[in-house]
Amino acid sequence: MKLFHIIAGAQNKRAFSNMGQVFGFSDEVMAQTLRYFIPPISKAIEKRAQTPDGVISILELLGSRRYDRFLDDPRIFGHPQIAKEGQRILDFLFEREARLQKIVENRARVLPVNAATLRRLFPFIAVMVMGAVEVRTRRPLGVILHRVAKGETDDRAIANPFMALAQHLRKQEKQERDGRKRRLFSFFGVTQPAPQPAKAQAGSAGGLFESA
């Protein structure tokens, strides 16, 4: 399902109406605004996901909060803590305020909302989009987690497949780095102590599936 449709169905299909009531716009204007802001957020996520470290960082971001619950809560709009959380997402995805401002200004030219108001809306939109991403990916990632863990997942891992997968990938990365390091030492004729065998497979490793 497309992110826009997931957002439109949130809060008993009143997400745009609830948002408009707080910020003084019709639900049609809020829906149009979301349509214009989803693409740059989606592209920023896709760009970050082009590297293994980027994939892990996105998983950790998704695993750090229940954005799907924020999305379904009509009280989020205008709430200072949600605005702060949304800005954290924007800082993660875009890094520079100048980039955020350019996105806002470009959309202010085509939307019946001024740039200052769009900048206030942007963090809330970011939270909603991340909530929709979480709704869309939670189940497929849970299936992937079950497969890589050989079915040995605990309740916390099942509840937070994002963080569990991030931890699994970080562990895998470390093992690969250690392997490359050992090969390099071997190339130069330097011996290293043999690595300790892993305690168990990824799914049963002690700290692998801890929730955020």
Side-chain angles (χ1 to χ4, degrees):
M1 187 181 294
K2 291 185 177 181
L3 298 178
F4 178 84
H5 294 147
I6 294 172
I7 294 170
Q11 300 171 25
N12 293 319
K13 300 183 179 181
R14 290 186 54 82
F16 300 139
S17 177
N18 293 334
M19 191 177 187
Q21 287 177 7
V22 172
F23 290 100
F25 295 95
S26 68
D27 56 347
E28 290 86 358
V29 170
M30 292 294 92
Q32 186 182 16
T33 300
L34 259 292
R35 283 192 185 276
Y36 274 95
F37 275 90
I38 287 174
I41 296 175
S42 296
K43 288 178 182 177
I45 293 172
E46 290 172 7
K47 184 177 179 181
R48 182 62 70 97
Q50 289 176 357
T51 66
D53 283 344
V55 170
I56 292 172
S57 67
I58 291 170
L59 287 170
E60 288 175 337
L61 177 68
L62 287 166
S64 68
R65 302 286 188 275
R66 284 298 302 263
Y67 292 111
D68 57 337
R69 291 178 181 173
F70 289 160
L71 173 61
D72 216 32
D73 189 340
R75 298 170 298 177
I76 64 171
F77 303 115
H79 195 292
Q81 190 59 40
I82 302 301
K84 184 178 178 180
E85 186 60 43
Q87 188 59 45
R88 183 174 82 100
I89 296 169
L90 295 176
D91 291 342
F92 168 80
L93 292 176
F94 299 102
E95 298 179 349
R96 300 194 310 274
E97 177 62 31
R99 174 63 180 145
L100 295 176
Q101 198 58 38
K102 184 177 180 181
I103 292 170
V104 166
E105 290 171 358
N106 286 343
R107 279 141 188 82
R109 296 190 183 102
V110 295
L111 289 167
V113 186
N114 63 51
T117 302
L118 288 176
R119 185 63 185 88
R120 285 179 55 217
L121 285 167
F122 207 173
F124 297 98
I125 293 171
V127 168
M128 296 171 77
V129 173
M130 292 306 290
V133 169
E134 185 169 338
V135 169
R136 190 169 69 179
T137 60
R138 175 175 287 276
R139 185 171 181 179
L141 286 174
V143 172
I144 293 171
L145 175 62
H146 184 79
R147 185 169 67 245
V148 300
K150 306 284 194 278
E152 299 179 15
T153 51
D154 61 25
D155 291 341
R156 287 185 295 180
I158 293 170
N160 192 344
F162 307 100
M163 195 61 72
L165 278 171
Q167 291 172 340
H168 174 78
L169 292 171
R170 285 206 180 280
K171 180 180 179 181
Q172 196 173 53
E173 256 194 357
K174 182 180 184 303
Q175 290 172 340
E176 290 173 356
R177 284 197 306 269
D178 290 345
R180 289 193 296 269
K181 185 177 178 183
R182 287 193 298 273
R183 288 193 294 273
L184 182 63
F185 272 79
S186 176
F187 178 78
F188 286 108
V190 179
T191 59
Q192 279 194 306
Q196 294 295 319
K199 291 182 180 179
Q201 294 179 345
S204 58
L208 185 59
F209 297 115
E210 290 181 3
S211 179

